[in-house]
Amino acid sequence: LGSYPKLSLAEARTKAAKAKEEVSKGKDPGKSWVEKKREDRKSPTVEGLVDEYLEKWAKPRKRTWKEDERVLYKDVVPVIGRKKAKDIKRRDVVLILDSVVDRGSPASANKTYEIIRKMFNFAVARSILKYSPCAGIEKPSESNARDRILDEKEIQIFWEKLEEIPTTEGTKLAFKLLLVLGQRRGETTTAEWKEFDLKKQTWTIPGNKTKNGNPHKVPLPSLAMEIILEAKNLVGDNQWVFPGVSRDKSLSPRTLSQIVIKNREAFGIDHFTPHDLRRTMTSLTTGMGIPRLTVNKILNHSEGGITKIYDLHTYDAEKRQALETWERKLRGIIFGEKLPPEAA
């Protein structure tokens, strides 16, 4: 029944009475106790569950499985890793999420919640657990990762920390161009030199690369030109502006995402993705008073109805003026350059 004095006489009597009741029903309480102990020994710890989840579910199905691994080993395993997975309560999960929110990372807390919930759902599906301790827990923050934009301080940190990230110089330039021009990740990483007119300072993305299937002309302000010319010095006569490791293919869009995931702590800012650089450029330019229509033209967003049919204006001049205004703002954020009066 247990050892005295840890187990009191009153508790021993209660246990003995329950054992006698089991015997009267034809059950062996000693055998049940042994079986329970055996199941406890076989029951995985949370750290064991993390390993099984990563190997059996995340790695085969998620391109970003390393982010799951990073989150689980940073915020979950150190806290409850040694506990049996079946003993984890809702409160354990809530406290982990609260700790992430308390360090000023509400978006990261939401991401952590999604990963923990998926792991415990996986455990239920594989009959490791009967119930998930995440049942009934809501997202810890109302912030939506799709609304993420970098503020001015984060932009400055991002630009500076790029120099410390362990990746190629060309890849760093690709990140910078995303923020300067706001074009899509895939369009940027697969850019070819034949798409650029360096004399006219324009980049024409062919329709087979754009989301809406239409060719898209992007004016290149001076900061973009600096980045492009630096890339040219790096790659020489290679067809790709940003070659991949093999040099015969372009940089993969996924590489940018993986670099951000692997270097979250090195960047030292809240969770963000390469696409958030495009959203940041969009939000700050419209916030500067640049017309939304012009910004949409820069982003090459699709139009429909009467506007698409009758508005044949190219908006090239408006796009260039807007990108030059954004460039001046960006130089002020990154390099501390003062804006001229007309751009303030």
Side-chain angles (χ1 to χ4, degrees):
L1 297 178
S3 300
Y4 180 84
K6 185 175 182 181
L7 180 72
S8 69
L9 290 174
E11 290 170 332
R13 292 190 184 100
T14 300
K15 282 192 172 186
K18 289 182 178 179
K20 288 179 180 179
E21 185 180 351
E22 291 293 309
V23 170
S24 68
K25 295 178 181 178
K27 297 179 181 180
D28 183 347
K31 183 179 179 181
S32 299
W33 181 84
V34 170
E35 289 177 349
K36 183 177 183 301
K37 285 293 184 181
R38 186 182 296 120
E39 288 179 4
D40 283 346
R41 285 195 297 271
K42 290 182 179 179
S43 178
T45 62
V46 171
E47 186 170 8
L49 175 58
V50 166
D51 291 339
E52 186 170 344
Y53 162 75
L54 291 171
E55 292 298 326
K56 300 293 185 181
W57 198 92
K59 288 183 180 180
R61 292 175 174 84
K62 294 186 72 175
R63 296 172 182 169
T64 57
W65 66 268
K66 281 190 174 294
E67 175 67 358
D68 289 28
E69 182 181 53
R70 185 194 70 82
V71 167
L72 291 169
Y73 274 95
K74 178 183 179 183
D75 292 317
V76 178
V77 171
V79 181
I80 59 173
R82 293 185 179 182
K83 291 185 177 182
K84 294 290 186 179
K86 65 181 183 63
D87 295 332
I88 299 303
K89 308 299 181 186
R90 186 182 303 173
R91 181 64 176 169
D92 296 312
V93 178
V94 169
L95 291 176
I96 289 173
L97 299 177
D98 283 349
S99 69
V100 180
V101 172
D102 290 344
R103 68 174 184 240
S105 304
S108 294
N110 284 347
K111 183 68 174 178
T112 302
Y113 161 78
E114 294 293 347
I115 293 172
I116 294 176
R117 186 179 68 166
K118 185 63 193 176
M119 181 182 71
F120 280 114
N121 286 344
F122 162 85
V124 172
R126 288 177 66 87
S127 298
I128 298 171
L129 300 177
K130 290 184 179 181
Y131 308 102
S132 168
C134 294
I137 299 177
E138 297 182 353
K139 281 187 177 182
S141 173
E142 292 298 321
S143 65
N144 188 330
R146 297 192 65 180
D147 296 333
R148 172 76 164 114
I149 64 169
L150 278 66
D151 60 30
E152 293 188 11
K153 183 61 178 177
E154 288 176 323
I155 290 172
Q156 183 184 35
I157 293 172
F158 162 77
W159 197 278
E160 292 176 352
K161 292 294 184 180
L162 267 178
E163 301 308 315
E164 303 173 15
I165 299 302
T167 188
T168 65
E169 293 302 314
T171 303
K172 295 174 185 179
L173 294 175
F175 272 114
K176 291 179 179 180
L177 201 63
L178 286 176
L179 183 59
V180 174
L181 296 179
Q183 300 309 298
R184 292 184 174 88
R185 183 185 56 165
E187 297 165 350
T188 301
T189 56
T190 62
E192 299 176 68
W193 289 112
K194 64 183 181 181
E195 300 166 10
F196 289 81
D197 187 328
L198 298 182
K199 290 184 178 179
K200 294 183 179 179
Q201 300 186 1
T202 58
W203 169 27
T204 303
I205 306 172
N208 64 345
K209 291 185 179 180
T210 62
K211 188 174 181 179
N212 59 16
N214 298 322
H216 176 46
K217 183 181 289 187
V218 185
L220 302 174
S222 62
L223 186 54
M225 285 296 297
E226 291 173 15
I227 294 170
I228 293 298
L229 293 175
E230 188 174 346
K232 185 66 174 174
N233 289 333
L234 287 174
V235 304
D237 59 358
N238 194 297
Q239 77 175 93
W240 306 105
V241 179
F242 306 112
V245 175
S246 65
R247 307 287 291 179
D248 61 338
K249 294 181 180 179
S250 71
L251 180 68
S252 169
R254 297 177 190 172
T255 299
L256 299 186
S257 298
Q258 291 168 354
I259 288 171
V260 171
I261 290 170
K262 291 177 181 178
N263 294 280
R264 293 260 189 245
E265 293 185 7
F267 277 115
I269 56 179
D270 201 5
H271 172 85
F272 75 98
T273 68
H275 186 74
D276 293 331
L277 300 176
R278 174 176 166 92
R279 185 180 297 110
T280 296
M281 177 268 186
T282 303
S283 298
L284 294 189
T285 49
T286 54
M288 294 166 64
I290 296 173
R292 189 173 297 277
L293 175 61
T294 301
V295 175
N296 284 336
K297 293 293 183 180
I298 293 171
L299 301 175
N300 197 26
H301 282 166
S302 297
E303 296 180 74
I306 297 297
T307 302
K308 181 178 180 180
I309 296 171
Y310 289 103
D311 188 0
L312 302 180
H313 181 53
T314 63
Y315 288 86
D316 287 347
E318 291 89 341
K319 288 191 292 185
R320 182 173 293 280
Q321 183 179 6
L323 283 171
E324 288 174 350
T325 301
W326 164 237
E327 178 207 23
R328 290 192 291 269
K329 173 73 170 179
L330 199 52
R331 284 184 181 276
I333 294 171
I334 298 168
F335 308 117
E337 297 179 6
K338 292 184 178 181
L339 296 176
E342 66 272 13

